[in-house]
């Protein structure tokens, strides 16, 4: 097999068709560019959906991962390992949270967060019918627990029944949240910036009010930072820009920059009063390979001043997308912060994204009518200019 078409045919004959894939087979990457197997280059404004935050072909990252491969990949969570200990220390430092549980994915981090919240409430009152409030249009993953709290009926319907006792409220509508609170509510879960649902940031007053309600009623606030966390908004975690702190938070995607890792973190109060030995576990989560990747990612965030770059280039992208929106009547809204931004059109965006791909620009949608911008966090103003030049040709 040699051509992309041949590989694509082979893929469609073998892989379960759960994705309508773009017609490209990527081979390798360098910085903010991807190359397909026929040697064409593409400017990447997706970074594997917010995963490859530090760019491709990152020598130091690759070396750190390879060194760990040569040392040892896996032991077991029944033993201690140094990379996981260092990773926990590093992630505590940037998040200000107290306790970490490493997972292999975002969905698993959500599962753990939900279990921790239910256990916390159970230890308080012994009830086994606690409720969780989640948001409409949210996305938390595809496993049963994560799907149950995902605010998109079409994702859930065929797989009913869900885990139960989940209520939905509207993001940025505090009255809708209050209306769902009962004496059984144990947690309120939200994305600080909704990603998949269309790049909708929480409003500051809304999140602060949710925090206040949680404090008053001893309800746990769970923030899903799987997409908007790890530098995307110019903070390590988006909530750090809101003057609130969650009781539990989830992180994944950029955390391993390609090595599949996730984590849920909690405050000491929740840590001391929820999951205990025997309550939760994972074979791979926090293994030495995952730990080594996390340590190196966080080291580079610091060394390369990634947050500063996101703030500067994110502001530049914001200004340029605002200007683009002003030029095009079919762009109805521009939302987001830092390097997680979206343009909402009054029509589907699939054609624009396909055209962009033909012209060597990788973009992705969020819903049918929104183009989502999630570039590597290391992009420059020149990359933004190049992206806009191609995007303009496609509009
Ligand atoms: C991607 C995502 C998830 C699920 O993560 P997986 O690693 O795909 O399981 C959960 N929440 C948010 C906000 C996400 O963007």
């Amino acid at each position: 097999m040699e051509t992309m078409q041949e590989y694509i045919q082979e893929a469609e004959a073998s892989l379960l068709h759960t994705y309508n894939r773009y017609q490209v087979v990527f081979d390798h990457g360098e910085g903010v560019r991807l190359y397909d197997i026929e040697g064409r280059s593409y400017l990447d404004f997706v970074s594997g959906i917010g995963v490859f935050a530090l760019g491709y072909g990152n020598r130091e990252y690759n070396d750190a991962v390879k060194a760990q491969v040569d040392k040892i990949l896996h032991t077991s969570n029944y033993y201690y390992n140094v990379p996981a200990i260092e990773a926990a220390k590093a992630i505590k430092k940037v998040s200000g949270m107290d306790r970490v549980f490493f997972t292999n994915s975002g969905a698993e981090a959500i599962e753990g967060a939900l279990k921790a919240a239910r256990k916390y409430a159970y230890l308080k009152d012994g009830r086994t019918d606690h409720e969780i409030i989640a948001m409409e249009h949210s996305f938390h993953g595809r496993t049963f627990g994560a799907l149950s709290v995902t605010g998109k009926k079409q994702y859930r319907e065929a797989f009913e029944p869900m885990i139960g006792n989940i209520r939905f409220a509207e993001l940025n509508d505090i009255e809708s949240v209050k209306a769902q609170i009962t004496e059984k509510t144990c947690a309120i879960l939200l994305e600080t910036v909704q990603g998949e649902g269309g790049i909708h940031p929480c409003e500051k007053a809304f999140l602060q009010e949710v925090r206040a309600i949680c404090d008053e009623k001893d309800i746990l606030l769970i923030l899903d930072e799987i997409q908007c966390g790890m530098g995307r908004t110019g903070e390590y975690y988006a909530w750090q820009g809101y003057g609130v702190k969650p009781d539990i938070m989830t992180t994944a995607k950029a955390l391993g920059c390609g090595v599949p890792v996730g984590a849920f973190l909690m405050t000491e109060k929740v840590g001391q009063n929820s999951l205990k030995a025997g309550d939760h576990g994972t074979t791979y989560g926090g293994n030495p390979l995952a730990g080594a990747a996390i340590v190196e990612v966080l080291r580079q965030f610091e060394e390369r001043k990634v947050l500063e770059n996101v703030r500067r280039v994110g502001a530049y992208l914001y200004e340029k997308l605002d200007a683009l929106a002003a030029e095009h009547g079919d762009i109805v809204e521009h939302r987001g912060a830092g390097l997680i931004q979206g343009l909402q059109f009054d029509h589907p965006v699939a054609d624009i994204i396909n055209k962009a791909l033909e012209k060597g620009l990788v973009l992705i949608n969020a819903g049918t009518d929104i183009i989502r911008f999630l570039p590597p966090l290391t992009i420059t103003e020149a990359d933004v200019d190049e992206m806009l030049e191609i995007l303009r040709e496609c509009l």
Side-chain angles (χ1 to χ4, degrees), residues 224-239:
D224 180 350
E225 291 264 345
I226 290 167
Q227 189 162 150
C228 63
M230 289 295 290
R232 279 271 147 215
T233 62
E235 307 280 348
Y236 271 103
Y237 289 103
W239 59 262

Side-chain angles (χ1 to χ4, degrees), residues 21-268:
R21 291 181 164 89
Y22 292 101
Q23 298 298 294
V24 62
V25 185
F26 287 126
D27 181 63
H28 64 283
E30 201 55 54
V32 296
R33 270 162 225 283
L34 283 164
Y35 295 83
D36 69 27
I37 60 166
E38 293 170 1
R40 272 198 76 203
S41 126
Y42 301 78
L43 178 63
D44 175 28
F45 261 66
V46 177
S47 58
I49 320 216
V51 170
F52 251 97
L54 297 171
Y56 303 98
N58 183 313
R59 189 49 51 208
E60 284 174 300
Y61 171 85
N62 293 353
D63 286 346
V65 170
K66 282 186 230 173
Q68 190 58 51
V69 169
D70 286 338
K71 216 169 170 188
I72 193 163
L73 279 172
H74 182 83
T75 51
S76 157
N77 275 313
Y78 282 105
Y79 314 101
Y80 299 98
N81 78 74
V82 172
I85 296 165
E86 285 179 347
K89 196 169 134 194
I91 198 173
K92 278 174 60 173
K93 183 168 164 231
V94 299
S95 67
M97 304 299 284
D98 302 313
R99 297 268 164 190
V100 191
F101 184 101
F102 289 116
T103 66
N104 312 290
S105 67
E108 283 170 87
I110 294 289
E111 298 291 329
L114 299 178
K115 280 179 72 177
R118 278 193 176 174
K119 182 78 193 289
Y120 177 89
Y122 171 79
L123 289 177
K124 262 195 326 188
D125 62 17
R127 294 179 80 129
T128 53
D129 59 354
H130 290 109
E131 295 173 349
I132 292 166
I133 299 174
M135 298 299 132
E136 295 287 359
H137 313 295
S138 62
F139 180 83
H140 298 291
R142 302 295 198 152
T143 53
F144 267 105
L147 192 58
S148 300
V149 290
T150 286
K152 253 193 194 164
K153 201 164 182 289
Q154 68 269 35
Y155 285 180
R156 300 192 307 259
E157 193 167 76
F159 310 102
E160 296 279 355
M162 294 287 113
I163 63 169
N165 289 26
I166 308 297
R167 291 165 168 264
F168 287 97
E170 286 290 341
L171 189 78
N172 293 329
D173 177 351
I174 196 69
E175 293 310 320
S176 79
V177 175
K178 285 181 186 164
Q180 297 303 329
I181 292 176
T182 73
E183 79 285 356
K184 296 191 271 185
T185 309
C186 69
I188 300 177
L189 165 67
L190 35 92
E191 290 156 90
T192 318
V193 180
Q194 281 189 347
E196 208 71 27
I199 316 296
H200 291 278
C202 272
E203 285 163 12
K204 201 166 186 173
F206 171 78
L207 192 54
Q208 289 179 344
E209 277 189 79
V210 170
R211 177 71 270 178
I213 292 169
C214 288
D215 285 339
E216 186 194 317
K217 299 184 185 294
D218 198 20
I219 293 169
L220 298 181
L221 175 61
I222 308 174
L223 292 180
D224 180 350
E225 291 264 345
I226 290 167
Q227 189 162 150
C228 63
M230 289 295 290
R232 279 271 147 215
T233 62
E235 307 280 348
Y236 271 103
Y237 289 103
W239 59 262
Q240 291 165 330
Y242 283 76
V244 298
K245 187 178 175 181
D247 301 292
I248 302 175
M249 61 162 276
T250 57
T251 177
K253 292 198 163 89
L255 184 61
C257 278
V259 173
V261 301
F264 61 100
L265 292 91
M266 55 190 75
T267 60
E268 190 64 14

